Amino acid sequence: MRPLPSPFIIFVLLSHYTVYATRHSFHTHDYYVLEHNPSVGPSLSEVSRTLGVQVVERAGELDNFWVVRVPKQHSSTSLSRRNNGDDRVLTTFDALHHPPSTRDPNSHTARRIADSVKHLSRQELRQRVKRAPPPIRPGNDNSKHPLAQAVIDKLGIHDPQFPRQWHLVNEQYPEHMMNVSMLWEMGITGHGVVTALVDDGLDYESDDLAANFWGPGSHDYNDHEDLPRPKLFDDHHGTRCAGQIGAVKNNVCGVGIAYDSKIAGLRILSGPISDIDEAAALNHNYQNTSIYSCSWGPPDDGKSMESPAYLIQRAILNGIQRGRDGKGSVFVFASGNGAAFGDQCNFDGYTNSIYSITVAAIDYKGLHPIYSEACAANLVVAYSSGSGNHIVTTDKGKAECATTHGGTSAAAPNAAGVLALALSVRPDLTWRDLQHLIVRTAEVINPDDPDWEKTAAGRPFSYKYGYGRLNGYEFVTAAQKWQVVKPQTWVELPAVQIGGGTSSLIGEMSGGLPIVPGGITSTITVTKEDLEQNNFDSLEHITVRVWISHDRRGDVEVEVTSPNGVKSILAARRRIDANKDGFPGWRFMSVKHWDEDPRGIWTIRVSDIAANNHTGHFLGWQLSLFGSTIDASIAREYELSLFEKVLPSVPSVNGPPSEHPSTTTKAHPKPTDHLPGNHGEAEGEADKPAFDNGHPADNAEQPPSSSATASGTMVPTADEGWFSDMSALVSNQKWVFGAATIVIVFGLIAGIFLCRRAARRRRAKDHYSALPGDDLALGTMSRSSHAPRSKELYDAFGEQGDEDDVDESTHLRGGPVAEGGLGFHEGFLDDEDPNTPRTAPTPAYRDEPEKRQALARGGATSPGGSGSGSGSGDGDGGDGDGDGSWEHASQTR
Ligand SMILES: *[C@@H]1O[C@H](CO)[C@@H](O)[C@H](O)[C@H]1NC(C)=O
Ligand SMILES: *[C@@H]1O[C@H](CO)[C@@H](O)[C@H](O)[C@H]1NC(C)=O
Ligand SMILES: *[C@@H]1O[C@H](CO)[C@@H](O)[C@H](O)[C@H]1NC(C)=O
């Protein structure tokens, strides 16, 4: 048979693309999420009739949350998004709150209907950007493995790569490993526990995973199918993470830490998804799935600051309160790979949630790897790549093994595996028991590291290592004896308003005190009565919400000091964060005050890099304490507030918001996106504090993989910011030679990658073409029909960690190819704004701010004496009726 003429092929490709496009891109409907409160009176159908919307289905596992829709309102999609005024549904909803005449009998009905809607927001398709991990290099092959051999003999392990899994048995540094083999000998191997990898798929047909695959806990939220098949050529991340936890003890590759436990795959990172789907994923099968291992988050680029949207926060809280029969879903989050960019995990609303177990990395020598992010919310470290070694684990394919896995996204599954072992012997432990056990059993490494400080409870804590390294044996044996903690309670101290500062629901801030050299301090006093009234026994997490306006966010430093003199640095300088939106009610978190007596004066200090033209105002702050109850029988259930950004604070029962918080588009790449290409090679360190007086330690190099910022090969010096470096270089003649070199290197790299990629694609195709019902082919065609050449280049560099490539590529590769999928998915659009920073490059200078402090009870002072803050810290002891540990902060990317 003759080959088909190429125009015919192009026609077929185009028509495929068109079909895909009309089904999924050309929006027939606008979608909303509606939170209904049936106790007010009006039924859901009354509400939907009044608003003129059609109810599609319940949103995930959330009670009283409904997905509703209307036919598309505007042909111009991008304009209508930002402006509620153009939105017929939101306008109607607003009108219900403000009926024209109170005498009108209809107005009463209108109000009741409005009151029965707690939350209404327009849904946008969100781009979860995924990128390939760094290129594969052959790992070291040690031939002598006496320690591993002993374990192999005792347990009858036949997995050929087991001796190379140093995180399980470390021949060179035997004091550095997850320390689980003794547990295996005791028969503790993870029986009965399900861990879901929320990631880019899971190769459930791999011989190393199939026997432990848990179907009911799995779903593909990208393509709306039951099974989380990895489809894109670079969908191997979830499979590798799954192997670390649940690789079967057989004759393929290596073993997982909990090799008799079950693993599930929730595929969300391989294309754009909505908040509804992300929320559903985080509650998927949440009675039978215990642990959600999440190796993704907002970009680790040193300039993003993002939290999960309200709906997702609700889902996480739902998992905490109802998952596992009320013992709580266990959310494990990788701390992030942006340390080399000066990024910190307190700028990520997932990792700084009290509901997350945040896991940073150490390498096989026990050193701090260049990529692993530090912050006061870090709970623990687990082993991953660095100093020349990677993690060896299962790879996508029938019987494949990956030897270059790493980053904090590999540290999180190692911790999740240990948690699975613990839950297999103590399924009754709650999410907080696991955190308590970590705090108590984690071990100091590198005791001479200046980052260690003693907490008030006498435990060493470090921003880099949290409470230390997770020792599997110690953790699980302590769990066996552990007595479960009492339910959670909290004290929400009233917000302190400074200099008349106010902030609206959407984070528009005004007023406040100018941030002077030396900073502004303000205090909040916690009394015995505050604790007693809230049934509060012992402290676990604290959260600090701040309202700070600033025209260069990365210049701002925030620290809070406890009554016992223990200081938590919440925000250290971030050199490349030039965002102008400040901190509109952003919530920081610290685990450093665990078990401290919180009574007394808490002092916040907000300062900035004084010696430049960037200034800002401190408008207010709010402190919350979370801990265990005195009397378990009167424990309350936490509620999220819709009004977190508002200053002065309003109780959530106070009427409707005048502005609707709408879910905005966000990209949540995997932490590997900013993982330096040399993450496994670069030597770690153990002699630098994470933050030096609020400044991040001077390790903020620009790793080579950051080619996204055109200037990826330049390293900011200690005295100059990133962009002034750039301008200095441009004015320098050497730049020409530099540019020439870059062009040559670029060309070489491009060549190498194109070759590798082509080879890989061939392999991928071979593998997938044999499988029935596979839609890779369609996806590939759709993509290649769309500017194939530029796409190739793009992806090639995507593997190295380029940033821009992802936006475009996910637009294309995100093609949901649902078969008989739910109707509402089809209307979601891929029409989001590109998530680019709005701010212009600005020169930044670094100077030590003078260290002068002034304290004022319940208020604020600037050291210059100019303007004392009018604090209102002594108001009624708010009982925190509704507030989240999650924050809706400005999202500017
Ligand atoms: C493993 O745990 C045992 C018991 O605590 C301890 O003696 C040993 O040093 C630990 N090894 C590692 C590598 O953590
Ligand atoms: C999940 O757990 C519940 C009890 O908690 C049980 O009734 C149900 O059968 C389980 N589902 C599956 C799929 O195992
Ligand atoms: C501040 O601005 C002035 C005038 O706009 C300029 O001359 C000066 O160099 C700037 N200083 C710094 C530190 O950027």
Side-chain angles (χ1 to χ4, degrees):
M1 194 174 144
R2 280 184 55 207
L4 293 167
S6 54
F8 179 74
I9 291 175
I10 288 168
F11 171 76
V12 170
L13 292 178
L14 281 176
S15 60
H16 266 291
Y17 185 68
T18 316
V19 168
Y20 153 68
T22 34
R23 281 184 66 198
H24 299 286
S25 310
F26 294 102
H27 9 79
T28 50
H29 290 83
D30 285 332
Y31 288 83
Y32 303 80
V33 162
L34 184 155
E35 185 182 2
H36 181 231
N37 182 355
S39 65
V40 173
S43 68
L44 181 64
S45 62
E46 267 179 88
V47 171
S48 59
R49 222 177 311 123
T50 310
L51 290 173
V53 298
Q54 175 192 1
V55 177
V56 182
E57 63 172 7
R58 184 174 161 210
E61 294 284 352
L62 291 169
D63 288 337
N64 297 318
F65 276 79
W66 300 95
V67 179
V68 301
R69 69 175 187 182
V70 291
K72 196 80 198 155
Q73 301 165 67
H74 296 276
S75 45
S76 70
T77 51
S78 54
L79 260 182
S80 58
R81 276 192 42 231
R82 296 268 163 227
N83 196 345
N84 288 338
D86 296 352
D87 188 304
R88 186 162 53 75
V89 175
L90 297 181
T91 316
T92 310
F93 183 51
D94 268 343
L96 294 176
H97 287 302
H98 311 288
S101 143
T102 41
R103 259 172 246 140
D104 184 346
N106 285 336
S107 78
H108 177 65
T109 320
R111 262 241 72 104
R112 272 165 35 94
I113 286 184
D115 288 348
S116 75
V117 177
K118 281 179 78 178
H119 170 81
L120 178 69
S121 65
R122 174 101 148 245
Q123 288 291 302
E124 309 285 355
L125 198 62
R126 190 143 50 135
Q127 243 171 286
R128 303 209 155 268
V129 177
K130 182 180 79 68
R131 243 203 257 116
I136 292 185
R137 292 182 204 84
N140 309 342
D141 202 2
N142 308 331
S143 45
K144 293 237 164 94
H145 305 281
L147 295 179
Q149 197 56 50
V151 177
I152 288 170
D153 294 344
K154 251 186 230 152
L155 292 157
I157 291 174
H158 300 291
D159 297 75
Q161 298 298 327
F162 178 74
R164 288 178 65 189
Q165 293 188 293
W166 62 263
H167 66 285
L168 301 176
V169 179
N170 192 340
E171 303 284 345
Q172 274 177 285
Y173 296 87
E175 68 278 25
H176 290 299
M177 54 186 179
M178 296 307 296
N179 209 18
V180 290
S181 60
M182 280 190 295
L183 298 170
W184 298 341
E185 288 173 31
M186 293 158 64
I188 301 174
T189 52
H191 269 293
V193 179
V194 181
T195 303
L197 286 301
V198 188
D199 212 295
D200 62 6
L202 193 161
D203 191 349
Y204 50 89
E205 287 169 332
S206 158
D207 287 342
D208 213 9
L209 301 177
N212 282 342
F213 178 67
W214 174 246
S218 300
H219 194 77
D220 183 339
Y221 283 95
N222 284 126
D223 291 345
H224 307 294
E225 296 171 355
D226 285 339
L227 290 171
R229 180 193 305 282
K231 297 190 186 103
L232 309 177
F233 76 98
D234 57 352
D235 277 352
H236 44 219
H237 190 263
T239 303
R240 292 174 181 181
C241 292
Q244 292 178 262
I245 298 166
V248 179
K249 179 165 158 276
N250 57 8
N251 55 2
V252 180
C253 191
V255 296
I257 286 177
Y259 57 70
D260 286 327
S261 69
K262 296 288 181 207
I263 40 169
L266 296 167
R267 187 166 179 258
I268 67 162
L269 295 179
S270 303
I273 69 162
S274 65
D275 288 348
I276 299 168
D277 283 334
E278 183 178 336
L282 291 171
N283 285 164
H284 190 95
N285 188 240
Y286 72 149
Q287 295 315 330
N288 305 80
T289 297
S290 297
I291 302 169
Y292 294 80
S293 184
C294 302
S295 291
W296 44 272
D300 299 326
D301 53 10
K303 58 189 178 192
S304 301
M305 184 174 91
E306 280 187 23
S307 287
Y310 174 69
L311 185 68
I312 297 164
Q313 295 177 40
R314 285 296 302 257
I316 288 174
L317 189 58
N318 192 41
I320 287 291
Q321 293 175 341
R322 319 230 183 290
R324 282 200 305 139
D325 260 333
K327 298 183 290 289
S329 303
V330 180
F331 296 103
V332 178
F333 269 89
S335 78
N337 292 337
F341 300 86
D343 211 346
Q344 301 153 34
C345 39
N346 238 324
F347 287 79
D348 169 342
Y350 293 85
T351 50
N352 84 0
S353 163
I354 65 168
Y355 304 122
S356 301
I357 290 177
T358 301
V359 182
I362 45 172
D363 65 28
Y364 83 116
K365 293 178 175 174
L367 299 176
H368 171 247
I370 50 165
Y371 55 80
S372 179
E373 287 181 30
C375 75
N378 257 344
L379 199 59
V380 71
V381 284
Y383 291 97
S384 189
S385 57
S387 294
N389 260 324
H390 299 79
I391 295 289
V392 174
T393 178
T394 315
D395 206 352
K396 186 170 73 175
K398 191 77 181 141
E400 299 294 322
C401 210
T403 56
T404 58
H405 192 46
T408 55
S409 45
N414 277 340
V418 170
L419 299 179
L421 292 178
L423 288 177
S424 73
V425 291
R426 285 297 303 273
D428 58 318
L429 298 183
T430 70
W431 65 278
R432 278 168 53 247
D433 288 313
L434 296 176
Q435 295 201 16
H436 272 277
L437 281 161
I438 288 175
V439 169
R440 281 167 173 71
T441 65
E443 291 175 350
V444 168
I445 27 160
N446 313 317
D448 298 331
D449 191 315
D451 200 44
W452 288 111
E453 289 172 80
K454 270 255 156 56
T455 69
R459 299 190 182 101
F461 178 86
S462 139
Y463 300 109
K464 290 194 289 194
Y465 312 118
Y467 280 96
R469 93 190 169 96
L470 185 58
N471 176 342
Y473 181 84
E474 286 297 323
F475 182 84
V476 174
T477 51
Q480 288 179 307
K481 293 171 255 167
W482 180 252
Q483 193 171 355
V484 297
V485 292
K486 288 183 185 168
Q488 191 196 38
T489 186
W490 64 93
V491 180
E492 189 139 286
L493 282 307
V496 173
Q497 204 184 350
I498 293 167
T502 60
S503 175
S504 75
L505 189 65
I506 55 166
E508 283 161 351
M509 296 184 281
S510 61
L513 278 188
I515 300 172
V516 293
I520 299 184
T521 59
S522 167
T523 61
I524 287 177
T525 302
V526 176
T527 64
K528 188 159 162 267
E529 290 69 43
D530 290 329
L531 303 184
E532 283 171 3
Q533 278 164 20
N534 291 286
N535 190 23
F536 193 98
D537 185 17
S538 63
L539 181 63
E540 294 163 6
H541 315 82
I542 69 159
T543 66
V544 172
R545 262 190 295 169
V546 295
W547 287 266
I548 299 167
S549 63
H550 204 280
D551 57 15
R552 197 172 191 284
R553 188 171 63 200
D555 285 1
V556 178
E557 296 164 357
V558 181
E559 60 188 41
V560 68
T561 306
S562 75
N564 302 293
V566 173
K567 181 169 83 180
S568 280
I569 293 173
L570 302 174
R573 186 186 172 195
R574 297 203 305 169
R575 258 187 206 83
I576 52 182
D577 179 4
N579 181 285
K580 294 184 189 305
D581 295 340
F583 299 82
W586 179 258
R587 191 187 281 268
F588 291 111
M589 194 270 273
S590 174
V591 293
K592 198 173 174 179
H593 304 278
W594 203 282
D595 283 337
E596 178 168 355
D597 180 350
R599 287 171 302 174
I601 297 172
W602 291 76
T603 307
I604 195 173
R605 177 165 169 274
V606 174
S607 53
D608 68 1
I609 313 300
N612 64 17
N613 286 349
H614 298 291
T615 55
H617 288 76
F618 183 23
L619 291 77
W621 69 299
Q622 189 270 328
L623 172 72
S624 296
L625 314 174
F626 295 82
S628 60
T629 48
I630 302 168
D631 180 356
S633 68
I634 53 168
R636 300 165 291 164
E637 215 169 53
Y638 196 77
E639 273 179 52
L640 283 176
S641 166
L642 279 164
F643 305 100
E644 283 234 310
K645 281 184 184 170
V646 178
L647 182 73
S649 303
V650 292
S652 60
V653 288
N654 257 12
S658 55
E659 299 149 297
H660 302 286
S662 77
T663 56
T664 52
T665 56
K666 283 196 289 182
H668 285 294
K670 294 186 288 200
T672 44
D673 288 6
H674 296 275
L675 186 60
N678 63 342
H679 67 100
E681 314 299 334
E683 193 70 14
E685 58 81 25
D687 50 16
K688 278 184 273 192
F691 314 121
D692 188 8
N693 274 323
H695 301 298
D698 268 327
N699 56 355
E701 294 165 30
Q702 212 66 12
S705 65
S706 68
S707 44
T709 52
S711 32
T713 50
M714 301 156 197
V715 178
T717 65
D719 297 319
E720 286 176 305
W722 178 249
F723 294 107
S724 45
D725 255 358
M726 184 63 185
S727 47
L729 272 161
V730 171
S731 62
N732 189 325
Q733 298 204 1
K734 284 180 194 145
W735 187 82
V736 176
F737 298 103
T741 315
I742 289 169
V743 167
I744 291 164
V745 171
F746 190 91
L748 282 173
I749 293 173
I752 291 164
F753 272 92
L754 286 176
C755 292
R756 297 185 76 123
R757 192 164 168 273
R760 239 191 257 188
R761 278 205 155 184
R762 273 196 302 277
R763 283 204 305 275
K765 267 199 164 154
D766 291 345
H767 178 66
Y768 283 109
S769 54
L771 301 171
D774 185 8
D775 56 18
L776 176 82
L778 175 56
T780 313
M781 282 189 280
S782 314
R783 292 165 62 192
S784 48
S785 67
H786 192 285
R789 282 191 64 85
S790 66
K791 187 66 184 76
E792 296 267 317
L793 256 179
Y794 211 56
D795 268 0
F797 287 94
E799 291 209 35
Q800 275 241 310
D802 186 285
E803 189 171 309
D804 302 285
D805 115 85
V806 183
D807 287 345
E808 187 191 301
S809 60
T810 41
H811 268 287
L812 299 171
R813 57 164 95 124
V817 201
E819 277 137 26
L822 298 161
F824 77 91
H825 294 301
E826 300 180 5
F828 286 122
L829 296 186
D830 203 351
D831 63 353
E832 304 308 341
D833 290 345
N835 290 311
T836 45
R838 277 183 248 141
T839 47
T842 2
Y845 296 86
R846 176 181 169 179
D847 275 308
E848 291 291 326
E850 296 164 59
K851 283 179 200 63
R852 286 183 283 158
Q853 290 200 12
L855 305 184
R857 186 176 187 281
T861 49
S862 52
S866 62
S868 273
S870 60
S872 59
D874 299 323
D876 55 339
D879 68 351
D881 166 54
D883 201 324
S885 77
W886 299 82
E887 183 47 46
H888 312 265
S890 73
Q891 286 140 14
T892 52
R893 271 174 305 119

